[in-house]
Amino acid sequence: MNSSLGEILVENGKLDPVNFARACALDADASDGQLALTLTKLGLVSGRDIADALSAKLGLPIVEAKDYPDLPLLEEQISLRFLKESQALPLREDKGM
């Protein structure tokens, strides 16, 4: 999918085209990340709307609370420092890989 974040929000009925154009005018050179911040600051879309649109754009599922492991995974294979710096969290370990 090659649509912009704003286009996805408009297509999904979460953002009206006039407000999308207004936000784009405010952030003429903005990336999707900056546009997402502007849209939420203006109260035009919710954080969940942004998450849903990013999920669709990137083809990645949204992780729900039930998907988080009860105990930390891969503690001995991946350093805590790396996880913090990369803002990553292992959600499952596939055996045999």
Side-chain angles (χ1 to χ4, degrees):
M1 181 176 288
N2 206 15
S3 299
S4 78
L5 182 65
E7 290 168 342
I8 294 169
L9 289 164
V10 170
E11 288 168 11
N12 292 342
K14 300 296 183 177
L15 177 63
D16 109 9
V18 173
N19 284 330
F20 176 44
R22 187 174 128 221
C24 287
L26 288 172
D27 283 333
D29 297 323
S31 66
D32 273 348
Q34 184 62 40
L35 179 62
L37 184 62
T38 299
L39 291 170
T40 54
K41 278 187 173 181
L42 292 173
L44 299 174
V45 296
S46 68
R48 180 58 191 232
D49 293 336
I50 296 292
D52 288 339
L54 285 172
S55 173
K57 179 177 176 151
L58 300 173
L60 297 171
I62 292 179
V63 178
E64 304 288 340
K66 66 178 176 48
D67 299 320
Y68 285 86
D70 294 329
L71 299 171
L73 299 175
L74 306 171
E75 283 183 291
E76 296 186 18
Q77 290 93 346
I78 304 173
S79 74
L80 181 59
R81 178 179 174 193
F82 171 79
L83 293 173
K84 285 182 177 182
E85 288 176 358
S86 61
Q87 297 181 353
L89 176 67
L91 297 176
R92 73 170 191 251
E93 182 178 3
D94 292 332
K95 305 291 184 199
M97 292 193 95

mmCIF file of all heavy atoms in Angstrom, residues 6 15 17 24 32 38 42 44 48 52 58 61 67 81 85 95:
data_model
loop_
_atom_site.group_PDB
_atom_site.id
_atom_site.type_symbol
_atom_site.label_atom_id
_atom_site.label_comp_id
_atom_site.label_asym_id
_atom_site.label_seq_id
_atom_site.Cartn_x
_atom_site.Cartn_y
_atom_site.Cartn_z
ATOM 1 N N GLY A 6 -2.558 10.212 5.910
ATOM 2 C CA GLY A 6 -3.746 11.047 5.811
ATOM 3 C C GLY A 6 -4.763 10.498 4.827
ATOM 4 O O GLY A 6 -5.971 10.522 5.081
ATOM 5 N N LEU A 15 -11.179 10.998 8.933
ATOM 6 C CA LEU A 15 -10.723 12.380 8.739
ATOM 7 C C LEU A 15 -11.401 12.929 7.500
ATOM 8 O O LEU A 15 -11.408 12.276 6.458
ATOM 9 C CB LEU A 15 -9.195 12.379 8.575
ATOM 10 C CG LEU A 15 -8.500 13.694 8.300
ATOM 11 C CD1 LEU A 15 -8.681 14.661 9.475
ATOM 12 C CD2 LEU A 15 -7.017 13.455 8.048
ATOM 13 N N PRO A 17 -11.762 15.316 4.223
ATOM 14 C CA PRO A 17 -10.756 15.842 3.296
ATOM 15 C C PRO A 17 -10.397 17.309 3.543
ATOM 16 O O PRO A 17 -9.247 17.712 3.344
ATOM 17 C CB PRO A 17 -11.407 15.668 1.920
ATOM 18 C CG PRO A 17 -12.401 14.567 2.096
ATOM 19 C CD PRO A 17 -12.890 14.694 3.516
ATOM 20 N N CYS A 24 -2.404 19.510 6.316
ATOM 21 C CA CYS A 24 -1.269 19.481 5.378
ATOM 22 C C CYS A 24 -0.723 20.885 5.145
ATOM 23 O O CYS A 24 0.488 21.073 5.018
ATOM 24 C CB CYS A 24 -1.683 18.850 4.052
ATOM 25 S SG CYS A 24 -1.915 17.073 4.133
ATOM 26 N N ASP A 32 4.881 11.601 7.531
ATOM 27 C CA ASP A 32 3.684 10.990 8.118
ATOM 28 C C ASP A 32 3.687 11.123 9.634
ATOM 29 O O ASP A 32 2.650 11.377 10.245
ATOM 30 C CB ASP A 32 3.590 9.507 7.739
ATOM 31 C CG ASP A 32 2.884 9.280 6.408
ATOM 32 O OD1 ASP A 32 2.273 10.221 5.872
ATOM 33 O OD2 ASP A 32 2.936 8.141 5.918
ATOM 34 N N THR A 38 0.360 16.400 14.317
ATOM 35 C CA THR A 38 -0.483 17.571 14.057
ATOM 36 C C THR A 38 -1.961 17.211 14.113
ATOM 37 O O THR A 38 -2.754 17.917 14.729
ATOM 38 C CB THR A 38 -0.144 18.186 12.680
ATOM 39 O OG1 THR A 38 1.225 18.605 12.693
ATOM 40 C CG2 THR A 38 -1.033 19.377 12.360
ATOM 41 N N LEU A 42 -4.513 18.747 16.914
ATOM 42 C CA LEU A 42 -5.675 19.531 16.505
ATOM 43 C C LEU A 42 -6.988 18.854 16.907
ATOM 44 O O LEU A 42 -8.062 19.424 16.743
ATOM 45 C CB LEU A 42 -5.668 19.757 14.988
ATOM 46 C CG LEU A 42 -4.574 20.668 14.440
ATOM 47 C CD1 LEU A 42 -4.595 20.663 12.916
ATOM 48 C CD2 LEU A 42 -4.739 22.082 14.974
ATOM 49 N N LEU A 44 -8.255 16.237 15.473
ATOM 50 C CA LEU A 44 -8.966 15.783 14.282
ATOM 51 C C LEU A 44 -9.114 14.268 14.234
ATOM 52 O O LEU A 44 -10.052 13.757 13.612
ATOM 53 C CB LEU A 44 -8.261 16.288 13.021
ATOM 54 C CG LEU A 44 -8.185 17.811 12.893
ATOM 55 C CD1 LEU A 44 -7.345 18.211 11.695
ATOM 56 C CD2 LEU A 44 -9.588 18.400 12.791
ATOM 57 N N ARG A 48 -5.771 6.131 18.477
ATOM 58 C CA ARG A 48 -6.169 4.814 17.960
ATOM 59 C C ARG A 48 -6.413 4.877 16.458
ATOM 60 O O ARG A 48 -6.074 3.946 15.727
ATOM 61 C CB ARG A 48 -7.408 4.300 18.695
ATOM 62 C CG ARG A 48 -7.898 2.948 18.229
ATOM 63 C CD ARG A 48 -6.793 1.902 18.390
ATOM 64 N NE ARG A 48 -7.124 0.679 17.726
ATOM 65 C CZ ARG A 48 -7.083 -0.517 18.295
ATOM 66 N NH1 ARG A 48 -6.727 -0.639 19.555
ATOM 67 N NH2 ARG A 48 -7.373 -1.581 17.617
ATOM 68 N N ASP A 52 -4.486 2.544 13.814
ATOM 69 C CA ASP A 52 -5.182 1.715 12.820
ATOM 70 C C ASP A 52 -4.693 2.024 11.409
ATOM 71 O O ASP A 52 -4.483 1.112 10.603
ATOM 72 C CB ASP A 52 -6.693 1.929 12.904
ATOM 73 C CG ASP A 52 -7.326 1.317 14.143
ATOM 74 O OD1 ASP A 52 -6.717 0.404 14.753
ATOM 75 O OD2 ASP A 52 -8.435 1.755 14.506
ATOM 76 N N LEU A 58 1.366 -0.218 6.954
ATOM 77 C CA LEU A 58 2.556 -1.056 7.080
ATOM 78 C C LEU A 58 2.263 -2.552 6.994
ATOM 79 O O LEU A 58 3.180 -3.363 6.941
ATOM 80 C CB LEU A 58 3.257 -0.746 8.407
ATOM 81 C CG LEU A 58 3.726 0.698 8.568
ATOM 82 C CD1 LEU A 58 4.245 0.934 9.975
ATOM 83 C CD2 LEU A 58 4.768 1.051 7.522
ATOM 84 N N PRO A 61 -0.041 -6.015 12.348
ATOM 85 C CA PRO A 61 -1.180 -6.035 13.271
ATOM 86 C C PRO A 61 -0.947 -5.109 14.462
ATOM 87 O O PRO A 61 0.191 -4.808 14.816
ATOM 88 C CB PRO A 61 -1.227 -7.492 13.741
ATOM 89 C CG PRO A 61 0.188 -7.966 13.623
ATOM 90 C CD PRO A 61 0.760 -7.235 12.427
ATOM 91 N N ASP A 67 -1.829 -9.762 24.021
ATOM 92 C CA ASP A 67 -0.717 -10.280 23.230
ATOM 93 C C ASP A 67 0.635 -10.151 23.938
ATOM 94 O O ASP A 67 1.615 -10.746 23.501
ATOM 95 C CB ASP A 67 -0.633 -9.554 21.883
ATOM 96 C CG ASP A 67 -1.878 -9.747 21.047
ATOM 97 O OD1 ASP A 67 -2.412 -10.875 21.037
ATOM 98 O OD2 ASP A 67 -2.322 -8.769 20.411
ATOM 99 N N ARG A 81 19.532 -2.939 27.295
ATOM 100 C CA ARG A 81 19.959 -1.679 26.677
ATOM 101 C C ARG A 81 19.522 -1.614 25.208
ATOM 102 O O ARG A 81 18.982 -0.608 24.754
ATOM 103 C CB ARG A 81 21.480 -1.552 26.777
ATOM 104 C CG ARG A 81 22.006 -0.297 26.130
ATOM 105 C CD ARG A 81 23.497 -0.194 26.269
ATOM 106 N NE ARG A 81 23.976 0.934 25.513
ATOM 107 C CZ ARG A 81 25.216 1.160 25.237
ATOM 108 N NH1 ARG A 81 26.156 0.349 25.680
ATOM 109 N NH2 ARG A 81 25.578 2.198 24.540
ATOM 110 N N GLU A 85 16.920 1.115 23.622
ATOM 111 C CA GLU A 85 17.364 2.008 22.548
ATOM 112 C C GLU A 85 16.551 1.827 21.278
ATOM 113 O O GLU A 85 16.281 2.788 20.566
ATOM 114 C CB GLU A 85 18.852 1.800 22.259
ATOM 115 C CG GLU A 85 19.748 2.343 23.342
ATOM 116 C CD GLU A 85 21.223 2.059 23.106
ATOM 117 O OE1 GLU A 85 21.573 1.391 22.102
ATOM 118 O OE2 GLU A 85 22.039 2.501 23.941
ATOM 119 N N LYS A 95 9.725 -21.522 18.670
ATOM 120 C CA LYS A 95 10.687 -22.607 18.842
ATOM 121 C C LYS A 95 11.081 -23.161 17.480
ATOM 122 O O LYS A 95 10.289 -23.186 16.550
ATOM 123 C CB LYS A 95 10.078 -23.732 19.687
ATOM 124 C CG LYS A 95 9.554 -23.275 21.037
ATOM 125 C CD LYS A 95 10.676 -22.873 21.954
ATOM 126 C CE LYS A 95 10.079 -22.518 23.321
ATOM 127 N NZ LYS A 95 10.926 -21.732 24.122
#
